[in-house]
Amino acid sequence: MDGPQPTTARPGGVVATLALAGTVAAVMQTLVTPLIAEMPQILHTSSSNAAWVVTVTLLVAGVCVPVSGRLGDLVGKRRMLLVCAVPLVVGSVVCALSSSVVPMIVGRGLQGMGMGMVPLGIALLRDVVPAEKLSGSIALVSASMGIGGAIGLPLAAAVAQYANWRTLFWGSAGLALLIGALIFFVVPDVPAGAKGQRFDAPGAVGLAIGLVSLLLAISKGADWGWSSGTTLGLFALALVALVAWGFYELRTRDPLIDLRTTARPRVLLTNASSILIGVGMYAFMLIAPQLLQFPEATGYGLGQSMLAAGLYLAPGGVMMMIVSPLGGKLINSRGPKPALILGALVIAVGYGLALPLMGTAWGLMVAGIVINSGVALAYGAMPALIMSAVPLSETAAANGFNALMRSLGTTIGSAVIGVVLAQMTVTLGGYSLASEDGFRTGLLIGCGVALVSAAVACLIPALRADSGAAADEQTPAEKAPTRA
């Protein structure tokens, strides 16, 4: 198979557009965070119903990210990027016009459909960016999800505090329109890597059933009870559906996800490390805002407003933008495996700093800067590892699956830390709050998971030039760093 076709597009503009697209997609996810407490009143519903405004985005994104990745390989990545922009716009408008919970859930579900932009963008970089700039470009676009989450929170909090809540969604609609226009005018169209193959509709349905069941059980298990019939039933359904899906994928001619490729040690261990990195990243994102906003009367809370808490955490997002290109240079010089190991170790160091510094807002800010620096290094290395081990015809699907693994990690992290904080509590003024020991335990878990991720990354085998079809179809940039 021939390599990527040369294009006349300016790589800098393409990278900036795709990084902005990923950032906007991440902002969509954190958009409702400042409104969570007010959602029942805004939508005239119960707290349990309002929680679906957050959950539905996760569920829809979990299904659509791998599907949109495969479609990108089949019909073209630029075309699918434009398709992803449409539900972001429509979903934002639906949310802005909503006055009850059902249309808000529908709108948030539509926003979840657009989350495939990041893996599609990363895969497209392999086709259009020169070899010497590929690693840094991948690192920046890959880190854009974390960047958007970190800087989107204070922006959303400021709008929610000083303007009508609908302004958030009208603003997101405008951003999505801008992204769509930039993709249309700036991003080049390149031939589809898997053109002529069929779309695996049964595989998509089977994966959807398995993923929705699994993600729903993990994200809602604490509310429903981990031993409840509903939670256990969903876990059982997920197990049966995913096993059946796996057997089917191994036997179909054009699978949604080539499980033989994902079983290659280089891909398998990278995805395993990605899950752990997701857990480690989200633990701090869940703990730090609560510590910053808990009342000072607890003795460990810092009494900050949502806006102030977001501003303390925003430098972490800025640091991701700074570290990403540096991570790209490290990948070019030493290979992606050392970058992933270093990123995981830096995350662990950040948690180590957070434990003694959690009593001050500036201390949490410093810890967040270090942790996000590690995330930037790790997020840049993961796609480079994946794409060095898969053929061109599977780049978008493989990146979509890796993005799904990261998302699964954040979901697991949310559930685990949520259980810890719910079980280790203190009572203040008649209210049950997470205790200082609970927060410390959560930080220790984040540190431990990051160390385990580094250990898993150490097991990733080095890439050999004669390792098979994947190597034959690599770009020059991917063939160059053969150290790790």
Side-chain angles (χ1 to χ4, degrees):
M1 181 176 185
D2 294 330
Q5 300 299 315
T7 72
T8 58
R10 295 183 179 179
V14 175
V15 174
T17 296
L18 296 177
L20 183 59
T23 302
V24 169
V27 168
M28 299 288 183
Q29 290 185 309
T30 59
L31 198 65
V32 298
T33 302
L35 300 174
I36 289 175
E38 301 175 21
M39 273 295 171
Q41 180 181 356
I42 291 173
L43 301 176
H44 312 290
T45 189
S46 65
S47 296
S48 59
N49 287 338
W52 285 100
V53 172
V54 177
T55 305
V56 70
T57 308
L58 167 71
L59 298 179
V60 174
V63 173
C64 290
V65 165
V67 171
S68 61
R70 179 56 178 163
L71 287 171
D73 288 327
L74 292 173
V75 303
K77 303 175 188 75
R78 176 179 178 271
R79 182 177 299 178
M80 284 308 302
L81 282 166
L82 290 169
V83 168
C84 285
V86 173
L88 286 179
V89 175
V90 176
S92 298
V93 172
V94 170
C95 289
L97 296 174
S98 296
S99 297
S100 60
V101 68
V102 172
M104 180 66 79
I105 290 174
V106 171
R108 290 289 292 164
L110 287 169
Q111 288 183 325
M113 293 177 67
M115 297 302 161
M117 279 190 166
V118 174
L120 283 166
I122 293 170
L124 182 63
L125 291 174
R126 189 181 188 183
D127 299 328
V128 300
V129 174
E132 66 275 10
K133 296 182 179 180
L134 182 60
S135 295
S137 300
I138 289 173
L140 179 61
V141 175
S142 181
S144 63
M145 287 295 286
I147 295 169
I151 66 177
L153 183 59
L155 288 174
V159 173
Q161 185 169 330
Y162 296 109
N164 187 285
W165 64 269
R166 297 181 191 274
T167 305
L168 285 172
F169 294 105
W170 287 120
S172 68
L175 284 173
L177 274 174
L178 173 63
I179 290 301
L182 287 173
I183 292 171
F184 184 82
F185 289 108
V186 176
V187 176
D189 196 10
V190 295
K195 189 174 182 180
Q197 297 182 16
R198 68 178 181 86
F199 177 67
D200 179 17
V205 173
L207 182 62
I209 294 171
L211 284 179
V212 169
S213 301
L214 178 62
L215 293 173
L216 194 55
I218 294 173
S219 60
K220 303 294 287 185
D223 296 332
W224 294 338
W226 293 105
S227 60
S228 69
T230 301
T231 303
L232 294 177
L234 284 170
F235 275 126
L237 176 59
L239 177 62
V240 172
L242 291 175
V243 169
W245 171 78
F247 276 113
Y248 174 80
E249 291 294 282
L250 289 171
R251 286 160 176 76
T252 191
R253 187 184 65 184
D254 298 321
L256 181 73
I257 297 171
D258 189 341
L259 294 181
R260 291 181 178 84
T261 298
T262 60
R264 292 173 182 168
R266 191 170 175 88
V267 179
L268 181 65
L269 291 171
T270 299
N271 283 328
S273 184
S274 299
I275 295 175
L276 295 167
I277 290 290
V279 175
M281 179 191 75
Y282 201 76
F284 186 79
M285 291 178 63
L286 195 63
I287 290 171
Q290 294 188 63
L291 276 173
L292 286 165
Q293 294 177 77
F294 265 35
E296 294 180 336
T298 59
Y300 52 89
L302 301 175
Q304 303 292 322
S305 66
M306 167 66 79
L307 176 58
L311 290 173
Y312 273 114
L313 298 177
V318 175
M319 186 56 63
M320 290 186 76
M321 288 188 281
I322 296 173
V323 171
S324 292
L326 299 178
K329 293 181 179 179
L330 175 62
I331 292 169
N332 280 334
S333 63
R334 305 297 299 176
K337 177 181 172 180
L340 178 55
I341 296 170
L342 179 61
L345 292 175
V346 170
I347 293 172
V349 170
Y351 277 106
L353 289 173
L355 284 164
L357 299 178
M358 61 182 281
T360 60
W362 67 265
L364 286 174
M365 182 179 70
V366 170
I369 288 173
V370 175
I371 289 172
N372 279 287
S373 298
V375 171
L377 290 172
Y379 269 28
M382 292 171 196
L385 283 162
I386 294 292
M387 289 195 293
S388 67
V390 302
L392 283 168
S393 60
E394 298 176 19
T395 50
N399 273 299
F401 191 73
N402 181 251
L404 174 63
M405 294 300 101
R406 299 190 222 174
S407 178
L408 181 61
T410 60
T411 306
I412 294 172
S414 175
V416 170
I417 300 302
V419 168
V420 169
L421 298 183
Q423 295 297 318
M424 305 178 71
T425 61
V426 295
T427 301
L428 180 67
Y431 293 95
S432 180
L433 301 174
S435 66
E436 183 176 6
D437 287 341
F439 286 119
R440 289 189 180 278
T441 301
L443 293 173
L444 284 170
I445 290 172
C447 182
V449 168
L451 290 173
V452 173
S453 178
V456 171
C458 287
L459 301 175
I460 297 173
L463 181 69
R464 297 183 342 193
D466 59 349
S467 59
D472 292 338
E473 299 191 29
Q474 284 178 279
T475 64
E478 290 151 357
K479 287 182 178 180
T482 57
R483 296 187 185 90

